[in-house]
Amino acid sequence: MKKIITFGEIMVRLQTPGYKRFKQAQTLEMTFGGGEANVAVSLAGYGMHASFVTKLPSNAVADACVAEFKKYDVDTTNIVRGGDRIGVYYVEKGASQRASTVLYDRANSAIATASSSDFDWAKIFEGADWFHFTGITPALSDECAAITLEACKAAKAAGVQVSCDLNFRKKLWTSEKAGQVMSGLMEYVDVLIANEEDAEKVFGIKASGTDITSGQISDEGYQDVAKQLVAKFGVKKVAITLRESISASINNWAAMLYDGKDFYKSKKYTINIVDRVGGGDSFGGGLIYALLSDYSMQDTIEFAVAASCLKHTIEGDFNLMSVDEVKALAGGDGSGRVQR
């Protein structure tokens, strides 16, 4: 069984019921979510040993969070306890032409105030095959950026493959700061994941012939972006998700994978969205699973996109699909017929 380590922040997710606006809601539904945590849940669901590393306070809400991980077979032994609070984010789901809204309350969370001494990376990476992080984690604090760098160095020393989802968040840091910090981390990254905006926001590498607002996506433009990322940082593979936003409810969804030599493009899905949050993380989970399972490059990108497509139909951050269900969609069964 392959062992994957993911490192980042897990937060309480508070969402208005259905499609209510914040001003309408009298109750909020509580779940949990976070980029690297979502990847861990995906991989555990695919039958891999997924271990999530973070720091959580010692209180009842954090206990509930750990219990949620255990329910989905995620290894929690590397979760450090301490600090004052767990971060919170609020979700108001959009529909049609009304966009979804996400509000964060994560300042001074336990992981944001963590220190290097909290994590024994050499021990954490014992027997590990893969390490995954996102651009969200080093954005939480200067200390988190330093810890992420230490983790990357330890992973490479242990012979572990490293993947990174750029995941730029303008509410956490500027493009200039992101570019500086993430450039220093790219030296250790084997597989880089980005969406249609990240490369431009973080590294200033823009796809020609593309207009995100209008949903115009240029394959040739993103092939050039992938080539530039490989040339600039020496990463082995670049995966770019390609989202065409028709509305908050309907998106076209595809991706491409570049292995430094050839490009592989997935089929395109038109998705009627139930919950978009976690869609990119489910793509990362699918990509890591397929690469560790020695899928061909074409099958890898098809599996990752199909996994993410299915996640968009599930409430909450986590992608609760099996390998067989993802394979069925990747293989062409998108009918949605009742399975009896």
Side-chain angles (χ1 to χ4, degrees):
M1 181 186 297
K2 300 293 186 180
K3 181 178 180 180
I4 303 97
I5 308 295
T6 74
F7 170 58
E9 181 173 31
I10 181 75
M11 293 182 289
V12 175
R13 170 175 168 162
L14 298 177
Q15 179 177 302
T16 59
Y19 292 90
K20 287 186 176 181
R21 304 219 68 186
F22 289 126
K23 63 178 68 176
Q24 291 177 287
Q26 295 181 312
T27 62
L28 294 172
E29 301 165 350
M30 187 182 88
T31 54
F32 299 94
E36 298 87 352
N38 299 342
V39 171
V41 172
S42 281
L43 290 164
Y46 298 149
M48 293 193 163
H49 181 170
S51 177
F52 179 56
V53 182
T54 193
K55 186 172 184 178
L56 290 173
S58 296
N59 61 36
V61 175
D63 290 344
C65 180
V66 173
E68 186 80 351
F69 280 127
K70 290 180 177 179
K71 181 170 73 174
Y72 294 117
D73 296 321
V74 173
D75 179 3
T76 62
T77 57
N78 292 312
I79 294 179
V80 177
R81 304 304 287 267
D84 296 327
R85 66 182 300 246
I86 183 171
V88 178
Y89 75 103
Y90 301 86
V91 179
E92 176 189 281
K93 287 202 300 180
S96 191
Q97 279 66 48
R98 177 171 61 85
S100 296
T101 299
V102 177
L103 302 175
Y104 293 100
D105 177 16
R106 69 200 309 177
N108 300 312
S109 65
I111 185 63
T113 58
S115 63
S116 295
S117 61
D118 286 324
F119 306 101
D120 184 348
W121 291 111
K123 182 177 180 181
I124 290 170
F125 285 124
E126 287 179 0
D129 299 284
W130 198 283
F131 174 55
H132 179 74
F133 71 99
T134 77
I136 296 172
T137 303
L140 296 174
S141 67
D142 289 343
E143 188 65 17
C144 277
I147 295 170
T148 305
L149 180 59
E150 291 172 0
C152 287
K153 289 179 177 179
K156 299 314 289 185
V160 173
Q161 294 188 78
V162 177
S163 60
C164 171
D165 188 335
L166 282 180
N167 251 346
F168 176 72
R169 294 291 184 269
K170 65 182 179 182
K171 293 181 180 180
L172 289 176
W173 56 1
T174 64
S175 289
E176 291 74 20
K177 181 69 176 289
Q180 293 169 6
V181 174
M182 297 307 293
S183 292
L185 293 168
M186 289 301 102
E187 173 184 348
Y188 306 95
V189 172
D190 299 293
V191 180
L192 181 60
I193 303 168
N195 67 19
E196 65 276 4
E197 296 181 90
D198 288 335
E200 178 185 359
K201 298 296 185 183
V202 179
F203 298 126
I205 301 174
K206 179 176 173 58
S208 61
T210 292
D211 184 336
I212 302 302
T213 303
S214 68
Q216 179 181 341
I217 300 292
S218 165
D219 287 358
E220 293 76 14
Y222 282 104
Q223 287 178 3
D224 183 57
V225 168
K227 287 180 179 179
Q228 288 189 58
L229 289 169
V230 169
K232 185 177 180 66
F233 299 114
V235 296
K236 296 176 182 176
K237 296 180 180 66
V238 175
I240 299 178
T241 56
L242 305 170
R243 184 188 296 274
E244 300 172 356
S245 293
I246 310 303
S247 69
S249 303
I250 301 175
N251 285 182
N252 290 329
W253 184 247
M256 65 171 60
L257 178 63
Y258 179 53
D259 64 0
K261 183 177 60 176
D262 297 313
F263 288 94
Y264 303 87
K265 175 79 180 291
S266 76
K267 62 173 67 72
K268 182 188 295 186
Y269 297 92
T270 297
I271 308 172
N272 290 291
I273 298 173
V274 171
D275 193 334
R276 173 174 164 171
V277 180
D281 305 320
S282 60
F283 173 84
L287 188 78
I288 293 168
Y289 172 82
L291 290 171
L292 281 173
S293 300
D294 296 323
Y295 284 21
S296 70
M297 291 298 97
Q298 187 63 48
D299 287 344
T300 291
I301 198 63
E302 296 291 0
F303 185 91
V305 170
S308 185
C309 176
L310 290 167
K311 161 61 196 76
H312 284 73
T313 71
I314 301 173
E315 289 276 9
D317 273 54
F318 300 156
N319 190 21
L320 307 178
M321 304 301 298
S322 69
V323 170
D324 287 344
E325 288 171 321
V326 176
K327 281 185 173 180
L329 178 58
D333 184 2
S335 65
R337 293 175 63 85
V338 175
Q339 302 298 306
R340 301 184 188 276

